[in-house]
Amino acid sequence: MLLYDERAELVEFCLRMQDDELTVGTSGNLSVRLGDHIAITPSGVAYDDLTPEAICVIDLDGNKVEDGLDPSSEVPMHTSVYRATDAGAVVHTHPLYCTALSVTMDEVPPVHYMIALLGGPVRVAPYATFGSPELAENSIEAMRDRFGALLRNHGATTYGDTLAKAYTRSLYLEWVCRLYHQAKLIGEPTLLPPDEITKVAQALNSYGQTVPAR
């Protein structure tokens, strides 16, 4: 079986995505790239029923390389991200606050410095039908110089060099969107200047520690 470890990791993160309320029902999809192959979640399968064997493997053109279930309808978006960036993983979600802001705004403003994890204010890609080449193209343009984007009237997509990093960016993007929503209920949010976001982004590059092995 190709990419077994990557398939198992996708199952683990799908269950996390469900628990973290980054999706609803069978919506949302995740993928991991290894060389010329991509492990990607199947279309329309309940996350509780997923197994490594149910995960699909495709090539960079979106073609299936193993028999099995059909891959996510968002294959065009995933493969486009891999072709346009150095991504090792892509996470596409339908979280409530990201989606709410995608309906009402053109950009998620710098209301908190953690938006630096996404590369700065997050753009909203113009609407296109799910699974379409147009949506893939719009997503790539919105993610230019960023690690994620909102998709108009749809959801959000993030990427990273690992699945853990791509997923963490999805969590923070939803949190920043929720923060902005909550702040607007109180008054007009104060926004951070671009130079502060740049400074934080540089600091975050060296942030974090590794727990020593026992």
Side-chain angles (χ1 to χ4, degrees), residues 73-74 92 94 127-133 135 154:
S73 59
E74 297 294 0
H92 171 56
H94 291 182
Y127 180 80
T129 304
F130 76 90
S132 66
L135 178 60
H154 185 154

Side-chain angles (χ1 to χ4, degrees), residues 97-148:
Y97 290 92
C98 284
T99 306
L101 265 61
S102 81
V103 173
T104 58
M105 304 183 69
D106 294 326
E107 182 179 85
V108 181
V111 69
H112 192 279
Y113 63 81
M114 291 308 288
I115 205 169
L117 284 174
L118 284 303
V122 177
R123 305 181 190 99
V124 179
Y127 180 80
T129 304
F130 76 90
S132 66
E134 292 78 15
L135 178 60
E137 182 178 344
N138 293 348
S139 301
I140 293 303
E141 179 59 27
M143 282 191 277
R144 179 172 39 85
D145 301 322
R146 297 290 188 269
F147 294 105

